[in-house]
């Protein structure tokens, strides 16, 4: 049933069941700015990472300047999965406001998934020099190619056709270590963003992919 704001707040703070708290954090986004202090409290106090991630996602959906400081706070969470969510959430802001945070997470963090998220957000907010930054990021090896995958997600947001030769290179089998070939798939998804404007180049990439 549809719960009231007060019911969801109580559920978020006091439900012994983690799924209940997770769902409450998600549903509170429908109440906009009134939910912000309660979502911040969950990020600060909830012991389960997925509840904190749900609160971060709700803050992202609510948006606005009021959520900025709370998302920045989540960048310091002890669980990398929460930090990863927060880094992606920063993509809702202007590049000048978040570029320093994103570059710090790309260059100074030890967690591959946080770095991959930073690569995506760098492309999404289109910081100055984003293309060259992401191109350099493609040189980085990581668990399940998560950093390179984040870079291609960022390229897809940039919508710069200069990425197409890079797609053709990185769909080669030699980059597909790990058995899941997630990089190949993500790179092709990036190329498909240009299927209408650069049809022949994209077709060439797809034909090349048949040799993988």
């Amino acid at each position: 049933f549809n719960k009231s704001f007060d019911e969801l707040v109580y559920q978020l703070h006091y439900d012994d069941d983690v799924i209940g708290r997770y769902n409450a954090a998600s549903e509170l986004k429908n109440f906009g700015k009134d939910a912000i202090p309660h979502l911040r409290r969950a990020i600060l106090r909830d012991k389960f990472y997925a509840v904190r991630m749900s609160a971060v996602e709700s803050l992202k959906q609510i948006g606005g300047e009021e959520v900025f400081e709370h998302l920045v706070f989540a960048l310091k969470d002890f669980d990398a999965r929460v930090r990863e969510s927060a880094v992606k959430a920063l993509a809702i802001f202007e590049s000048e406001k978040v570029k320093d945070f994103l570059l710090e997470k790309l260059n100074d963090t030890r967690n591959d998934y946080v770095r991959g998220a930073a690569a995506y957000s760098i492309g999404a907010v289109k910081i100055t020099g984003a293309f060259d930054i992401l191109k350099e990021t493609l040189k980085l090896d990581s668990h399940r190619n998560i950093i390179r995958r984040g870079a291609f997600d960022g390229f897809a947001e940039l919508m710069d056709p200069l990425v197409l030769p890079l797609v053709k290179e990185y769909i080669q089998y030699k980059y597909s270590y790990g058995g899941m070939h997630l990089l190949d798939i993500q790179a092709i998804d990036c190329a498909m963003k240009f299927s209408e404007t650069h049809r022949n180049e994209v077709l060439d990439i797809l034909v090349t992919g048949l040799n993988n």
Side-chain angles (χ1 to χ4, degrees):
F1 65 96
N2 292 324
K3 296 177 181 177
S4 70
F5 176 74
D6 289 339
E7 287 172 320
L8 288 171
V9 167
Y10 187 90
Q11 181 172 314
L12 175 62
H13 296 325
Y14 301 111
D15 195 341
D16 290 335
D17 181 59
V18 67
I19 300 300
R21 301 199 308 277
Y22 176 93
N23 289 337
S26 177
E27 292 178 33
L28 277 169
K29 66 178 178 288
N30 299 320
F31 294 88
K33 295 179 181 179
D34 289 341
I36 292 176
H38 301 286
L39 295 169
R40 160 63 187 250
R41 183 175 184 266
I43 293 172
L44 178 65
R45 299 182 62 178
D46 202 283
K47 295 181 179 180
F48 194 67
Y49 78 93
V51 177
R52 302 197 300 277
M53 287 176 63
S54 182
V56 166
E57 182 60 27
S58 286
L59 289 175
K60 176 184 175 182
Q61 295 299 319
I62 293 169
E65 292 300 314
E66 295 89 344
V67 308
F68 177 73
E69 64 175 297
H70 307 311
L71 293 176
V72 170
F73 177 81
L75 292 176
K76 302 175 183 178
D77 196 277
F78 62 86
D79 193 297
R81 291 166 289 193
V82 180
R83 300 198 301 274
E84 178 186 0
S85 295
V87 169
K88 290 181 178 178
L90 290 182
I92 66 175
F93 296 103
E94 296 293 329
S95 62
E96 288 301 310
K97 192 175 185 68
V98 298
K99 68 176 184 179
D100 291 340
F101 295 106
L102 298 180
L103 290 173
E104 177 188 359
K105 291 301 180 184
L106 179 64
N107 297 319
D108 297 337
T109 188
R110 296 177 62 183
N111 185 275
D112 290 346
Y113 285 78
V114 175
R115 298 180 79 183
Y120 157 74
S121 290
I122 284 169
V125 303
K126 300 176 175 59
I127 72 172
T128 302
F131 186 92
D132 291 335
I133 293 170
L134 295 180
K135 186 176 179 180
E136 283 298 306
T137 301
L138 290 177
K139 299 177 182 179
L140 300 174
D141 291 329
S142 59
H143 181 246
R144 298 174 73 185
N145 266 318
I146 191 65
I147 297 178
R148 290 190 178 108
R149 286 159 53 198
F152 277 114
D153 282 345
F155 281 127
E157 296 290 335
L158 276 179
M159 287 299 293
D160 188 332
L162 290 176
V163 73
L164 293 175
L166 297 175
V167 173
K168 190 172 182 178
E169 176 183 353
Y170 280 90
I171 62 171
Q172 296 182 53
Y173 186 80
K174 67 179 181 178
Y175 293 105
S176 302
Y177 59 82
M180 299 189 72
H181 308 284
L182 298 174
L183 173 64
D184 318 42
I185 297 168
Q186 219 141 342
I188 289 175
D189 285 344
C190 176
M192 290 303 295
K193 296 280 188 177
F194 303 90
S195 60
E196 295 184 6
T197 58
H198 296 74
R199 180 178 175 82
N200 290 336
E201 290 176 76
V202 173
L203 282 172
D204 181 53
I205 288 170
L206 297 176
V207 171
T208 300
L210 294 175
N211 295 321
N212 186 308

